[in-house]
Amino acid sequence: MIGIDFGTTNTGAALFDGRVIRPLLLDPESPTPIICRSAVYMTRTGEYFLGSSALNTYFEQNVGRPTRYRKVRVGEIIQVFAELPTFYRDVFVYEDEFSPGRLFTSIKTALRNREYFGTAFLGSWYTASDLVAVFLIGVKMQMERNLGAPVTEAVLGRPVHFSFDPNEDEVAQSRLLDAAFKAGFEKVYLEYEPVAAALSYELGLERRETVLVFDFGGGTLDFTIMRIGGSQPQQVLATGGIPIAGDIFDQRLFRAVIPPHLGEGGTFISQGTRYPIPAHIFDSLANPQEILALNTPQNLEMLRGIHQGAVDVDKTHALLEIVSSNYALLAFDLVERTKRQLSTDLISTLILEGKDFTIKEWVTRLRFEQAIIKEYELIRQELLATVDKSGLRLQEIDRVVRTGGSSQIPLFVELLNELFGPQKVLAIDAFSSVTAGLAVRGHQIASGQIELPAYTPDSTRRSMEQASKADGTADIRQVRLEVVQKRLAVRQGFHGEARRLPEQILFFLRGKGMHALDATKLTEFSHSSTAAVKLKGAFAALLKPTSQLILLAKDDQALLITSRHKFISARVADLYLASQAASHEIAHSLPLEKDEFVAAMTGWKPADLEQSFLVMITRAGQGRAFDARLLAEYVAKRPYFQLERRYSGIPAALVSAGGDDFVLAGTNLGRIAAASIPTLSVQPYDLLKLRSGERLSAVGISRPGSPLLTLSDQGAWLWLESEKFVTGGAPAVRGQTLRRNFAFSALFTPDQIKSNAIIGFTTQHRLLNLSRHYLAGTPLTPPATPTALQLESGEALIACLLIAA
C-alpha cells in the first residue's frame, strides 16, 4: 500500500512496513530523485517527459523561439459528473503553430476549476483528469520499477479544501480519483494532507499532544487540529484551509518585480496623443493561465503598436520578446527560485537574459512580504478561525507542526511564533512529511488497524469528460492513454535499466509504413570478413523490393519529406523510441494528416550543415534543390515546412549536395539523367520523363570531373562520367540509356567507396558485404572495375547502404 503525495508543485511516494519509511525514487534525473516536479511536457514527436526532465526539455526546445498562436475550435465538449448537472460547451483553444511541445505545470490546480474543460494537442483532447493521469502513469511505472512488483493500491493525499465551493470540491475529488483509475490503480483511499503530516509527526511521539498542522504547499494551505499520541485513537478537532499558496506568491512577486523592466508606468504615443501603457497587460503576464491570451495575433499587434510609440523602447522590446518568444515561463521559474532564496537570505538577485534584453533586479525579503500582504492577512484570519472552530484557546495547542515548501517563508514562521510561541513551533520535513504520513496510513489500512472508504473504478463517482466531433471542426479524438503508457515505458526502460540506444539505426520506408531497427548487427557484419549472411527476424520481414533503407546515427537529426511535400525535422533517437512503443507509433508521433506518410528521409545537422543544398527527387523524375541553411531556418521555427507549390510525383529520395555538384537519377530500365545544382535550385526540374514500367531506382551525387561507380540489380559494376550526360533539351530526351537491362541499384563516388563499407540487401533476404568483392589491391578508378557479384538464381539487389569503415 503506497502513500502518494501528488502536490501542486512536487510529488512524492513512500512505503511503510511498520518500522521504516522507504521513500521511492520517482525522478532519477533530478538532484533529489525522491521528489518529482509535478510537470508534464508533451512533444510533437509523441514523447512524454515528467518531472525535472519536463522542465529541462521545455526550456531547451522553447526558450527564445518565436511563437504564432491561432484560435482553433475543437468542437462541443460534454462534461458529466455524478449527481451534478451535465454541461455542454463549444470550446476553442489557442494553438501555437510553431511549438515543438506543450508544458503543463501545477496541473493539480486544474482539478478544481469547473470551467477548465481540457485542452487539445496534436489532434488529441486531454481532459483535466487525463493530464493528471499522464503524470500518475509515469509515477506508477517508476514506483513499480523501484519495487519490482505491480502497484495497484494507494493512499492519495488531498487538501482539506480543493475549493470553498462544494461543487468545485466534489469535481476536483472526482477528477483526482478518475485520473488514478485511468493510470491503472485498482483501489484508492483518500486522506487529508495535514492529517498525513500529523501521522508522520506522531511516529516519534511518546505522549498525547494537541497538535496544529500548518501544511503550506504550492497550491493550498491546510490546517488540522488533532489530538494524537498515546494509547488513545487519533481525534480530529477541526480542519480549515484556503486555496492560497506558493503559486499565488510566485505570481505576486512576478507582478511586483518584472513589469517595471517591461515598461510598466511608462507611456507611448499614438496619433499624437500620449497614453499610459495599460496595466492589464502586466496583470495577464503575471498569470500563467492568461499568458497565451497575450500571444494572439490581435494582442501582439496591440503590443507592437505600443512598442512603436513607446518612450522607452528598450523596455517594450523586452516585453515583446518575453511574450512572443517563450521567456515567460523561464521568468516564473527564476522568480520561484528567488522566492525560495528569500527564505534564507534577506536579498536575492534575479537575472533573466534573453536574446536582445537583460533583466537584473535585487529583490529584498521586505519587498516580497509587501507583495503578499493581502494573502498574509487572509491566512491569519483563517488560521484563527480554525482554532476558534476547535473550541480551544491558542495556549491550549501543545505543538504547531509546519510542513510544505511555503511553510519556510519567514513571514509565516513569525506568524506562528507570535500566536503560539516559538518553543511550540516545529518544522518537520518540508517536502516528504505528508508523503511519509500517507505511507503510514497505507500500512494502517493494510494491517487492519483502521478503516477508510475504498474507492474503485466501479464504486466511486467518476468524471466522464469527452470531446465530440462537430461539423466543420478539427478531428479531435480522446487521448489514448494506453499509447502514453507505452511511450513512457520505453523511455523509462532505457533510462532506468541503463539501456543504451543503438549507435546506428536503420529505417525502412515501405509503402506508407515507417519502421526503425537496431543496426548494431548490421554494422558488425560490415566490419567482418564474412561475404554473405541470411537475414532473419524483423529485418527479413520488412525487406521488400520497394523498400527504402536509410542508416542514421542516434545523435543525428532526421529530415523527412512526406507524400504531401512537407519537410519535418525530428531527432533520430525520438523516432527509434517511438518505434519501440509500437510499430505504428513513428507515424503517430509526426504531424501527418490522414493518408499522409513519410516518403523519403536523410540525416542532417541543422546547426552545422556541411553541404549547402538538400535535393529532393520525386518518383516522377522531378528534382529540386533547396538551400540547406534557409531550409533549416524554416523548419526550426515550426513543426514542419510545407512546400507552397505542388510537385510532380511523391518524393523518392532526399540527398545532400554541394553547390557545384551534379545530381544523377537512374531507373530500372537502364536510363540515367543528370542535372547541376544551379539548374535544380531555381524551380522544379524534370530530369527525365519515365516510360511505361519504368521507375526511379537510384540517386547519386557527383562532383565535376569525378567519376561514379554504379551497380545494377544483377550485381554488375559500371563506371560513369556525369558531365557527359545530356542535361539540357526537352525532358523527353534528357534520359540516356547506358546498357539494355542495366537496372540501377546504387551510385557511389570513389571517396564513398574508400571510406565506407558497402552492404547490399537482396530479394532472397541475403546480406552481402560488397567490400569483399573488390579486386584485391586494385585502385578503384576507371577502367579497373570490381568483379560482378555472384547472385543466386532469381536473386536481385534491392538496396545498398554505406557504413563508415
Side-chain angles (χ1 to χ4, degrees):
M1 183 79 72
I2 306 296
I4 303 174
D5 177 21
F6 168 55
T8 303
T9 306
N10 297 299
T11 294
L15 181 65
F16 182 55
D17 61 3
R19 299 184 306 277
V20 178
I21 299 287
R22 177 186 173 185
L24 301 181
L25 302 181
L26 299 184
D27 192 349
E29 298 181 27
S30 169
T32 53
I34 63 171
I35 300 172
C36 181
R37 186 73 179 263
S38 302
V40 176
Y41 181 56
M42 309 174 187
T43 71
R44 284 190 177 271
T45 56
E47 293 300 316
Y48 295 85
F49 296 87
L50 308 180
S52 59
S53 64
L55 291 169
N56 294 339
T57 307
Y58 170 83
F59 290 141
E60 176 187 339
Q61 294 186 358
N62 290 270
V63 171
R65 71 164 179 83
T67 58
R68 186 171 73 187
Y69 283 88
R70 60 173 181 156
K71 195 174 184 179
V72 180
R73 180 172 183 261
V74 298
E76 184 181 72
I77 305 302
I78 305 171
Q79 192 181 48
V80 181
F81 295 95
E83 300 184 8
L84 290 175
T86 298
F87 280 76
Y88 299 82
R89 176 175 295 178
D90 281 342
V91 173
F92 297 82
V93 297
Y94 287 108
E95 179 181 79
D96 183 357
E97 295 179 88
F98 297 164
S99 172
R102 286 277 302 278
L103 178 68
F104 298 90
T105 59
S106 302
I107 51 180
K108 187 177 181 179
T109 59
L111 295 177
R112 66 173 181 246
N113 185 358
R114 183 68 186 269
E115 297 301 312
Y116 185 80
F117 279 67
T119 190
F121 183 63
L122 295 183
S124 292
W125 181 257
Y126 294 79
T127 65
S129 59
D130 289 332
L131 292 174
V132 175
V134 170
F135 180 76
L136 291 180
I137 286 171
V139 167
K140 182 174 182 289
M141 292 169 58
Q142 196 65 51
M143 291 190 300
E144 292 174 338
R145 193 176 301 280
N146 283 190
L147 298 170
V151 175
T152 59
E153 299 184 8
V155 180
L156 279 175
R158 61 148 291 170
V160 175
H161 298 293
F162 282 104
S163 168
F164 286 129
D165 182 329
N167 281 346
E168 286 189 349
D169 196 78
E170 179 75 16
V171 166
Q173 178 169 304
S174 176
R175 283 171 163 171
L176 178 61
L177 289 168
D178 196 31
F181 298 132
K182 287 176 177 177
F185 291 98
E186 298 172 5
K187 187 179 291 185
V188 174
Y189 302 86
L190 297 179
E191 182 57 274
Y192 290 129
E193 290 158 359
V195 171
L199 292 174
S200 175
Y201 169 69
E202 188 182 28
L203 284 178
L205 194 60
E206 297 179 354
R207 62 184 180 86
R208 189 102 173 141
E209 286 186 354
T210 301
V211 176
L212 184 150
V213 178
F214 185 85
D215 181 12
F216 204 2
T220 57
L221 167 60
D222 288 317
F223 314 118
T224 294
I225 299 175
M226 299 178 65
R227 287 199 174 100
I228 58 175
S231 58
Q232 299 178 43
Q234 300 152 353
Q235 182 184 6
V236 176
L237 302 179
T239 59
I242 191 168
I244 293 175
D247 280 2
I248 298 295
F249 296 160
D250 293 343
Q251 294 179 36
R252 298 292 182 267
L253 186 56
F254 185 105
R255 185 66 180 83
V257 172
I258 301 297
H261 295 272
L262 307 179
E264 184 181 34
T267 60
F268 70 101
I269 298 171
S270 177
Q271 297 181 347
T273 303
R274 185 184 294 267
Y275 298 95
I277 298 177
H280 71 80
I281 294 173
F282 306 104
D283 293 337
S284 296
L285 188 63
N287 187 338
Q289 307 304 321
E290 297 181 23
I291 289 174
L292 291 185
L294 288 176
N295 229 323
T296 61
Q298 297 89 340
N299 282 331
L300 282 176
E301 187 64 29
M302 177 264 294
L303 291 176
R304 292 188 186 102
I306 291 174
H307 175 55
Q308 288 175 0
V311 175
D312 193 337
V313 293
D314 289 340
K315 290 184 177 181
T316 53
H317 173 75
L319 172 63
L320 269 173
E321 283 291 298
I322 282 181
V323 170
S324 64
S325 297
N326 287 286
Y327 285 99
L329 195 59
L330 178 59
F332 265 104
D333 190 61
L334 294 172
V335 166
E336 195 266 341
R337 294 183 195 179
T338 299
K339 178 196 70 177
R340 282 191 278 117
Q341 188 173 354
L342 290 174
S343 292
T344 56
D345 300 333
L346 292 175
I347 192 167
S348 174
T349 307
L350 187 152
I351 301 176
L352 173 62
E353 293 185 312
K355 182 180 179 182
D356 300 312
F357 70 92
T358 299
I359 293 175
K360 184 175 183 180
E361 181 75 20
W362 292 94
V363 185
T364 64
R365 184 183 294 175
L366 178 60
R367 190 175 180 186
F368 170 53
E369 292 174 352
Q370 290 172 340
I372 63 171
I373 192 64
K374 291 183 179 179
E375 286 73 24
Y376 169 83
E377 292 297 339
L378 290 173
I379 289 168
R380 180 187 177 94
Q381 292 172 20
E382 179 66 18
L383 176 58
L384 292 173
T386 303
V387 176
D388 186 61
K389 188 165 54 175
S390 72
L392 300 174
R393 292 173 297 171
L394 293 175
Q395 55 267 34
E396 292 180 286
I397 302 294
D398 299 318
R399 178 70 69 184
V400 177
V401 175
R402 60 180 179 88
T403 186
S406 298
S407 73
Q408 301 178 83
I409 296 173
L411 184 62
F412 297 102
V413 177
E414 293 168 6
L415 171 64
L416 297 177
N417 289 343
E418 172 199 335
L419 293 177
F420 302 99
Q423 72 281 359
K424 290 185 177 182
V425 179
L426 174 69
I428 59 176
D429 194 303
F431 298 104
S432 61
S433 58
V434 172
T435 305
L438 293 171
V440 170
R441 185 63 89 201
H443 175 73
Q444 292 174 343
I445 294 170
S447 60
Q449 300 175 43
I450 192 171
E451 289 186 6
L452 283 182
Y455 297 90
T456 66
D458 298 326
S459 65
T460 186
R461 299 174 179 180
R462 291 185 60 181
S463 62
M464 294 179 292
E465 302 157 282
Q466 59 190 34
S468 63
K469 183 181 178 183
D471 291 340
T473 65
D475 186 11
I476 301 296
R477 61 185 183 274
Q478 196 71 27
V479 61
R480 297 183 302 154
L481 292 173
E482 66 275 11
V483 173
V484 175
Q485 186 170 13
K486 289 178 181 178
R487 299 301 294 267
L488 284 169
V490 170
R491 182 165 288 280
Q492 286 191 8
F494 273 90
H495 185 87
E497 298 170 12
R499 294 167 61 191
R500 298 181 61 187
L501 287 171
E503 294 297 323
Q504 299 286 326
I505 296 166
L506 182 63
F507 290 90
F508 285 80
L509 302 182
R510 193 188 72 207
K512 296 183 179 181
M514 182 177 181
H515 307 270
L517 295 178
D518 181 348
T520 300
K521 293 183 178 179
L522 186 65
T523 54
E524 289 175 354
F525 170 69
S526 71
H527 295 95
S528 71
S529 59
T530 308
V533 296
K534 192 78 170 180
L535 285 171
K536 297 179 181 178
F539 279 91
L542 293 172
L543 191 62
K544 302 293 180 184
T546 56
S547 297
Q548 288 187 55
L549 281 67
I550 304 96
L551 185 67
L552 300 178
K554 68 170 184 180
D555 296 326
D556 281 353
Q557 288 279 114
L559 182 66
L560 308 96
I561 188 164
T562 74
S563 55
R564 299 189 181 183
H565 305 100
K566 180 191 296 179
F567 280 107
I568 303 170
S569 185
R571 293 177 64 243
V572 170
D574 288 341
L575 296 175
Y576 179 74
L577 289 172
S579 73
Q580 300 304 293
S583 60
H584 57 273
E585 275 307 301
I586 295 182
H588 286 167
S589 71
L590 299 171
L592 304 178
E593 300 175 28
K594 187 177 181 180
D595 295 328
E596 185 179 19
F597 58 91
V598 175
M601 65 187 294
T602 188
W604 74 328
K605 296 179 180 179
D608 185 25
L609 292 168
E610 296 179 0
Q611 301 284 9
S612 53
F613 288 90
L614 282 157
V615 182
M616 174 191 71
I617 306 295
T618 73
R619 295 181 187 176
Q622 190 178 80
R624 178 68 195 276
F626 301 92
D627 185 291
R629 298 188 185 280
L630 194 59
L631 185 61
E633 290 181 12
Y634 286 146
V635 173
K637 293 179 181 179
R638 61 202 75 195
Y640 58 83
F641 174 61
Q642 179 71 61
L643 297 183
E644 293 182 358
R645 60 161 293 162
R646 296 189 66 85
Y647 288 76
S648 298
I650 292 172
L654 198 59
V655 292
S656 299
D660 298 328
D661 288 344
F662 279 91
V663 177
L664 293 95
T667 78
N668 62 318
L669 298 185
R671 286 204 305 150
I672 191 166
S676 67
I677 292 298
T679 301
L680 296 175
S681 62
V682 178
Q683 61 183 6
Y685 181 85
D686 293 313
L687 278 82
L688 45 72
K689 287 289 186 180
L690 298 182
R691 300 167 183 172
S692 176
E694 190 174 23
R695 61 177 174 80
L696 196 71
S697 58
V699 173
I701 301 295
S702 174
R703 294 182 179 178
S706 176
L708 277 175
L709 187 62
T710 181
L711 181 63
S712 77
D713 66 344
Q714 296 302 309
W717 296 90
L718 181 67
W719 285 102
L720 305 175
E721 295 182 64
S722 57
E723 62 267 24
K724 293 185 179 180
F725 297 134
V726 178
T727 57
V733 300
R734 288 176 191 160
Q736 179 177 341
T737 303
L738 294 182
R739 287 185 184 178
R740 179 175 292 183
N741 298 324
F742 189 96
F744 288 93
S745 177
L747 297 161
F748 306 111
T749 66
D751 288 342
Q752 289 175 328
I753 294 173
K754 290 176 184 176
S755 57
N756 297 276
I758 303 176
I759 304 299
F761 296 77
T762 79
T763 53
Q764 295 190 10
H765 296 165
R766 281 204 308 155
L767 205 60
L768 306 180
N769 195 335
L770 304 190
S771 304
R772 306 302 165 194
H773 293 270
Y774 302 153
L775 292 172
T778 303
L780 282 174
T781 55
T785 303
T787 56
L789 305 180
Q790 297 299 312
L791 301 180
E792 298 177 356
S793 177
E795 186 178 26
L797 278 174
I798 293 175
C800 293
L801 285 178
L802 295 172
I803 299 178

